[in-house]
Amino acid sequence: MTRVSEHLNQALHDLMESDPSVHLLGEDVGDPYGGAFKITRGLSGRFGSRVRSTPLSEGAIAGVGAGLALAGDKAIVEIMFADFVALAFDQITNFAAKSTSMYGRPVPVPLVVRCPTGGNRGYGPTHSQNPQKHFIGVPGLSLFEMTPFHDVGELFARMFGLGRPCLFFEDKVLYTRQMFRIDDLFRFELVDDVARVYLDGAGRPDCTLVTHGGLVHRTLDAMRALLLEDDLVCELLVPAQLYPVPPLPGLEDAPHVCVVDDGTEGGTWAAEVATALYPRLWDRLRRPITLINSADGVIPAAPHLEREVLVQADSIRAAVREALS
């Protein structure tokens, strides 16, 4: 089986081989280091000057990538840790995103900004965050997230095909996980580019969970416990596109929906999903949509304290049980 990190690395190799207009920029992305998480290993030796290790300036990296895209090439920018994408906020939101429509005609800006996110690795407060919510609602900007169900090569093609800048979030805990492999208790399928994880032959679920890629395995652990210990059947939907929120399949018969988001409360992706779903499901839901977020606090480096802040399987299970009680 292929690890997520290996799959992502191969997708970058395939993309740069098939399209000579693609450039990759980032801190320490060149060999022999190959990036902090080795995702860009082998690219600089194979593609030469199209792969550039840059100075430590996220604003400059994003700005150069946007300039390449605006000039007719394609660019992939790696932010070493997603926490530092805040340093590129102006270039992404005020230059790259607005350049698609502020020149009197539509202008393609094929830029992908890769952002390794998330905690549960002991990296502490400034290297463990999920900043997705800060980019929701920016005109001209799309948000995607890596999942163990979606082919990354196809996602790159899709993002570049939009002709607008995209942020591509990659939860670091996924890098060592296997692609296209989940708990043997469940099955999965892709429905309109949304992964649906379900219990075969179970009929209508008691609750439908919606989450992003980095929370897949924690949510699956909660689903297993809910099934085996609480006799509650859950279904899971995992979109690769976070914003704009895509149509989510199969919710018409869901008695309850729970959206799980590893970011803190307030202006969240979970709230955006709920906002999109309420007009569609208002007459069918038995209770309000449950939103699960991480705690309101910085993320400690100590593992036992980190688990208290970030969303975990037991907190998902507890929230579902309370909603259905």
Side-chain angles (χ1 to χ4, degrees):
M1 299 296 290
T2 302
R3 286 187 175 186
V4 170
S5 59
E6 297 167 340
H7 176 75
L8 180 52
N9 176 260
Q10 187 61 53
L12 289 169
H13 275 272
D14 293 344
L15 175 64
M16 296 196 73
E17 180 179 29
S18 64
D19 190 343
S21 70
V22 175
H23 300 260
L24 188 142
L25 311 169
E27 299 163 6
D28 296 326
V29 296
D31 292 325
Y33 194 58
F37 304 102
K38 313 308 174 191
I39 303 303
T40 58
R41 179 180 289 168
L43 291 171
S44 65
R46 187 175 177 190
F47 300 106
S49 62
R50 291 166 55 203
V51 179
R52 297 275 185 170
S53 286
T54 66
L56 303 180
S57 175
E58 286 76 10
I61 301 167
V64 171
L68 284 166
L70 191 61
D73 284 331
K74 300 181 181 75
I76 298 175
V77 166
E78 177 181 299
I79 306 296
M80 187 178 286
F81 286 85
D83 311 65
F84 304 129
V85 74
L87 296 167
F89 192 85
D90 182 63
Q91 289 291 339
I92 292 170
T93 62
N94 282 330
F95 176 39
K98 289 180 175 58
S99 290
T100 60
S101 59
M102 70 178 182
Y103 299 117
R105 60 182 174 85
V107 176
V109 183
L111 169 69
V112 174
V113 181
R114 294 183 42 241
C115 299
T117 62
N120 290 293
R121 291 177 66 119
Y123 290 165
T126 61
H127 293 70
S128 306
Q129 298 169 89
N130 288 277
Q132 291 91 326
K133 70 178 185 179
H134 300 296
F135 295 91
I136 289 174
V138 176
L141 185 66
S142 294
L143 277 59
F144 287 77
E145 182 159 340
M146 181 175 65
T147 88
F149 308 117
H150 293 82
D151 183 276
V152 176
E154 294 178 2
L155 291 179
F156 279 136
R158 183 174 165 194
M159 287 186 283
F160 279 133
L162 291 174
R164 58 194 284 171
C166 297
L167 294 180
F168 186 55
F169 297 100
E170 306 163 9
D171 197 302
K172 298 184 288 289
V173 299
L174 285 183
Y175 287 146
T176 57
R177 294 284 191 168
Q178 302 292 325
M179 284 296 298
F180 311 118
R181 183 178 178 181
I182 59 170
D183 190 314
D184 291 338
L185 190 61
F186 301 102
R187 302 288 181 266
F188 83 89
E189 62 180 357
L190 289 180
V191 183
D192 298 328
D193 290 330
V194 176
R196 171 180 173 253
V197 184
Y198 61 96
L199 183 67
D200 198 20
R204 190 178 74 168
D206 297 295
C207 178
T208 297
L209 297 157
V210 182
T211 196
H212 52 92
L215 274 168
V216 163
H217 294 93
R218 280 171 276 172
T219 306
L220 286 173
D221 288 344
M223 288 171 59
R224 169 180 276 273
L226 286 163
L227 177 65
L228 299 181
E229 300 178 34
D230 302 303
D231 200 27
L232 294 172
V233 176
C234 295
E235 196 166 279
L236 174 63
L237 300 178
V238 186
Q241 178 177 309
L242 301 184
Y243 185 84
V245 177
L248 298 173
L251 289 170
E252 280 67 27
D253 293 329
H256 185 56
V257 175
C258 180
V259 189
V260 191
D261 179 352
D262 218 11
T264 55
E265 291 182 351
T268 64
W269 174 73
E272 191 69 23
V273 172
T275 299
L277 291 180
Y278 270 126
R280 172 182 163 193
L281 303 177
W282 187 259
D283 294 334
R284 301 179 179 90
L285 292 173
R286 296 180 182 175
R287 53 186 63 83
I289 294 173
T290 298
L291 307 183
I292 301 175
N293 290 94
S294 60
D296 181 14
V298 299
I299 301 169
H304 68 290
L305 297 176
E306 187 180 36
R307 286 193 293 270
E308 293 180 6
V309 173
L310 298 172
V311 174
Q312 304 296 337
D314 55 355
S315 58
I316 299 171
R317 179 190 175 195
V320 172
R321 289 177 59 185
E322 180 180 355
L324 296 179
S325 61

